[in-house]
Amino acid sequence: MFKKLAIFFSLFTVLLCTAQSNKLFDEATAAYNSGEYEKAIGFYTDILDDGEHSAAVYYNLGNSYYKLNNIAESIYFYEKALLLSPNDEEVKTNLSYAQNMTIDAIDTMPETGLSKLYKSVTGKLTFDQWAYLAIALIIIFVLLYILFYYANSSTLKRWSFIGSILALFICIIAIVFAFIQRSDFKDLQPAIIFAEESSIKSEPNAISQQVFVIHAGTKVNVLDQLDEWNKIKLADGKTGWIQKNELKLLKDF
């Protein structure tokens, strides 16, 4: 009896939290449409504080900050939206608008044709989506193999066998892509610069030589950390040390 009550209250709590989040989202959208962008930001932040993370919330936060001309914040939340929905063209478009308003124009290191092809294929889905695809394909493989085993028709046996082998082959590819995407995701620690101007040092201390300067809204990759300093790398390959409080990591959820 106690176990049933616990399950009931757990389900009730989940439904209540979902309803609350939906209400906050509607209120935030209404505030945004009325031009009350700071109010909308407050509602969207409340949703995040409740543990509800979604590409839609991050995207709308990015839009709200963009409307307030807070470019670094808008880029930060657009990038977080892309972490959850990497192929969302609307997010990519708005992100490009925000990036065009930043001071730094950093060239990207050239990639080989093979590297571009690899990223374009594996990047079609997130590692979770590749994993779900692999699970679906292994189920299809099992069902087709059972059909092959019990089918009386030679034609049906032939096509079910071909289908099962094809499903298994694609499943293996999906597993490999999921592993690659997961490895890439763990290796990269992207961050957005929030300080208006950051002096990047050659060593993790304030008295070391300045190697370059970057500004708010620039995206970097964190390579290492030491005390209150982070070693970063730009898209053009430059590296240096920056104080931790001058940037925000994207992978904090």
Side-chain angles (χ1 to χ4, degrees), residues 25-26 28-29 42 60 67 71 75-76 83 155 158 166 175 181 185 188 217 227 245:
F25 191 90
D26 291 340
T29 302
N60 290 337
K67 291 291 186 179
I71 303 304
I75 290 174
Y76 176 77
L83 285 176
T155 302
R158 181 170 65 252
L166 184 62
I175 292 172
Q181 281 286 78
F185 186 84
L188 290 175
D227 298 329
N245 60 3

Side-chain angles (χ1 to χ4, degrees), residues 21 47-58 80 84 252-253:
S21 296
I47 295 174
L48 296 180
D49 290 341
D50 288 339
E52 296 292 328
H53 299 272
S54 70
V57 172
Y58 288 130
K80 287 181 77 69
L84 297 178
D252 61 351
F253 55 83

Side-chain angles (χ1 to χ4, degrees), residues 185-217:
F185 186 84
K186 289 177 67 178
D187 290 343
L188 290 175
Q189 287 297 333
I192 302 298
I193 303 299
F194 269 68
E196 288 302 316
E197 182 176 282
S198 295
S199 175
I200 310 304
K201 302 291 187 175
S202 59
E203 297 176 359
N205 58 70
I207 62 173
S208 61
Q209 180 185 359
Q210 174 181 293
V211 288
F212 56 91
V213 173
I214 54 177
H215 301 84

Side-chain angles (χ1 to χ4, degrees), residues 60-73:
N60 290 337
L61 268 170
N63 287 339
S64 299
Y65 277 112
Y66 184 83
K67 291 291 186 179
L68 293 172
N69 204 35
N70 294 336
I71 303 304
E73 288 85 351

Side-chain angles (χ1 to χ4, degrees), residues 3 9 54 78 106 114-115 141-142 181 190 202-203 216 224 247:
K3 186 177 180 181
F9 281 116
S54 70
Y78 287 143
I106 299 172
L114 185 61
S115 176
F141 163 75
V142 171
Q181 281 286 78
S202 59
E203 297 176 359
D224 199 2
L247 55 74

Side-chain angles (χ1 to χ4, degrees), residues 5-253:
L5 285 174
I7 294 172
F8 171 78
F9 281 116
S10 297
L11 291 173
F12 179 77
T13 302
V14 170
L15 291 173
L16 186 63
C17 290
T18 302
Q20 178 67 17
S21 296
N22 290 338
K23 181 183 177 183
L24 286 172
F25 191 90
D26 291 340
E27 290 176 341
T29 302
Y32 179 88
N33 291 334
S34 300
E36 300 176 280
Y37 304 120
E38 291 183 356
K39 188 176 180 180
I41 288 170
F43 286 130
Y44 289 129
T45 303
D46 287 341
I47 295 174
L48 296 180
D49 290 341
D50 288 339
E52 296 292 328
H53 299 272
S54 70
V57 172
Y58 288 130
Y59 173 66
N60 290 337
L61 268 170
N63 287 339
S64 299
Y65 277 112
Y66 184 83
K67 291 291 186 179
L68 293 172
N69 204 35
N70 294 336
I71 303 304
E73 288 85 351
S74 67
I75 290 174
Y76 176 77
F77 285 108
Y78 287 143
E79 290 282 4
K80 287 181 77 69
L82 284 178
L83 285 176
L84 297 178
S85 183
N87 296 313
D88 192 314
E89 293 300 327
E90 195 170 357
V91 178
K92 289 181 180 178
T93 299
N94 286 17
L95 173 60
S96 67
Y97 291 149
Q99 288 172 332
N100 287 336
M101 297 182 69
T102 60
I103 296 175
D104 299 322
I106 299 172
D107 296 327
T108 303
M109 293 182 67
E111 292 182 320
T112 63
L114 185 61
S115 176
K116 286 182 179 179
L117 178 62
Y118 147 75
K119 287 186 177 180
S120 66
V121 174
T122 59
K124 292 295 183 183
L125 301 174
T126 65
F127 56 84
D128 283 337
Q129 291 170 335
W130 281 117
Y132 292 142
L133 178 60
I135 292 171
L137 286 167
I138 200 66
I139 292 173
I140 293 172
F141 163 75
V142 171
L143 293 175
L144 287 174
Y145 189 81
I146 292 173
L147 180 61
F148 162 77
Y149 187 82
Y150 288 102
N152 294 321
S153 168
S154 58
T155 302
L156 186 57
K157 273 185 174 291
R158 181 170 65 252
W159 284 110
S160 58
F161 178 77
I162 293 172
S164 65
I165 296 300
L166 184 62
L168 181 61
F169 176 72
I170 300 174
C171 174
I172 293 171
I173 292 175
I175 292 172
V176 171
F177 284 176
F179 178 78
I180 291 172
Q181 281 286 78
R182 179 62 178 173
S183 298
D184 289 347
F185 186 84
K186 289 177 67 178
D187 290 343
L188 290 175
Q189 287 297 333
I192 302 298
I193 303 299
F194 269 68
E196 288 302 316
E197 182 176 282
S198 295
S199 175
I200 310 304
K201 302 291 187 175
S202 59
E203 297 176 359
N205 58 70
I207 62 173
S208 61
Q209 180 185 359
Q210 174 181 293
V211 288
F212 56 91
V213 173
I214 54 177
H215 301 84
T218 300
K219 185 179 180 181
V220 300
N221 186 46
V222 176
L223 302 177
D224 199 2
Q225 60 180 354
L226 179 64
D227 298 329
E228 296 304 313
W229 293 83
N230 280 338
K231 186 177 184 180
I232 61 169
K233 183 177 182 179
L234 303 185
D236 61 4
K238 292 180 183 176
T239 62
W241 291 86
I242 184 175
Q243 292 188 352
K244 281 184 180 180
N245 60 3
E246 295 186 359
L247 55 74
K248 287 182 70 173
L249 292 172
L250 287 165
K251 296 178 184 177
D252 61 351
F253 55 83

